[in-house]
Each structure stands twice: as structure tokens, then as C-alpha cells.
Amino acid sequence: EGVSYVYVYRILPDGFHVVFDPDTMTEAGSDPGDIVAFDEDFKSSLADLLNGRPVEPITSNASWGWLISIYTPVEDSSGRVVCYACADISMDKLLNDQYVFFTKVFSLFVTFTAIVLAFFLLLADARLILPINTMAMASSRFAFDSESKRNAALEYLRSLGIHTGDEIENLYGAIAKTTEDSVRYIDEAQQKSENI
């Protein structure tokens, strides 16, 4: 996938001599024995190609499009390079694959980040928002008008049992102690008032 052309060339000083060049879906291949002129992009690798040495992949942007060409030497039984088996890969396809890959990685990163954020929001709701809202509700239910209502509100506050192991628990303890002290002071004030 992604290979645009596959062919076999014999490299001689006057150009690429076609050994094998099949048709593609869109273009007819060259006939055996045809000579294809060297592209400018091949000039730096031409000496190695003429001497039968391996070459690094060659990037070209000529009449066949933006391609990266891989030339592999083919040797005869005596070890002499007689031609090159070649494949051209479309750089447009590689670039498109790269964009698709980065899009998928980015989507995966966004999804993972969203899941982590959702988890931390749920954790914050359970360990921060819920305890604070519960303490606020218990405080708002506190009634000063009768001893039974004060004691019921105090018992409700004690029953919350908030144990988060952090500042929220410290706040809960302070509110519970303040409420207990307030109830005790109100009871003492009423007792003293009755005694007076």
C-alpha cells in the first residue's frame, strides 16, 4: 500500500534502460528496452547507480509526482550488479498517513484527557463539593427555637461523619465543635435564665 510504481531498470550512462515496468491503474508502463532520461534529483546518486553500489532512498518531484524512490541492486550469480529493482512510494500518501496518524494520536490524547478530567471531577465532587454542600445544608437546618430541634440538628451534623483526611474534614470538625459549643452555651444561658 502506498507504492505508486514498481519497476526494474538497468543503469547505463545514457539513462535508465527499462527491463520491467508494468502498467498501473492510471498509466501505461514502459516497454522493455526503452530508455528513460535521468531526472535532476538522481544526479547526486548517479555515480553510485552506475557503479552498482547501494544508494539511499531518493526523493524526487518530477513528472511522475512527489515520490521517494528505493533502488535495490540485483546481482547475477557472480555477484555483479546487473540492474536495480525499484519502488516509488508517493510522498503525498506518506504525508496523508502522517496527518491521519497525528489526528488519531490527538483524538486519543483528547479522549484520554477528557476521561481523566471526568474522573477528577467526580472525585472532586465526592470528596470536596458533596461534603461542603452537606455541611452547608446541616448548618442551614440548625434551629435555635427549641431544645429538641437544637439537639436533632446537632445529631444530624454528627451523623454526617465526614472523613476525607484533609482540610474538608478539619472544616467539618470545626463546624461540629462550634455547633456543639453553641448548643451548650444556649442550654447554659437558658438554664441560668430559668434560675434567675
Side-chain angles (χ1 to χ4, degrees), residues 150-166:
R150 284 192 303 269
N151 288 333
L154 183 58
E155 283 307 311
Y156 176 73
L157 187 62
R158 286 181 184 150
S159 71
L160 295 179
I162 296 172
H163 301 291
T164 58
D166 57 11

Side-chain angles (χ1 to χ4, degrees), residues 66-126:
W66 188 23
L67 303 170
I68 183 164
S69 302
I70 293 94
Y71 280 63
T72 303
V74 177
E75 299 174 349
D76 63 11
S77 58
S78 64
R80 185 174 60 92
V81 174
V82 291
C83 61
Y84 283 85
C86 315
D88 293 341
I89 300 169
S90 171
M91 291 295 284
D92 293 326
K93 170 89 169 91
L94 288 178
L95 205 57
N96 186 46
D97 289 347
Q98 186 177 10
Y99 287 138
V100 169
F101 173 76
F102 283 123
T103 302
K104 287 180 180 178
V105 168
F106 180 73
S107 299
L108 185 66
F109 174 75
V110 167
T111 303
F112 178 74
T113 303
I115 290 170
V116 169
L117 281 174
F119 171 75
F120 280 113
L121 286 174
L122 288 173
L123 188 65
D125 188 47

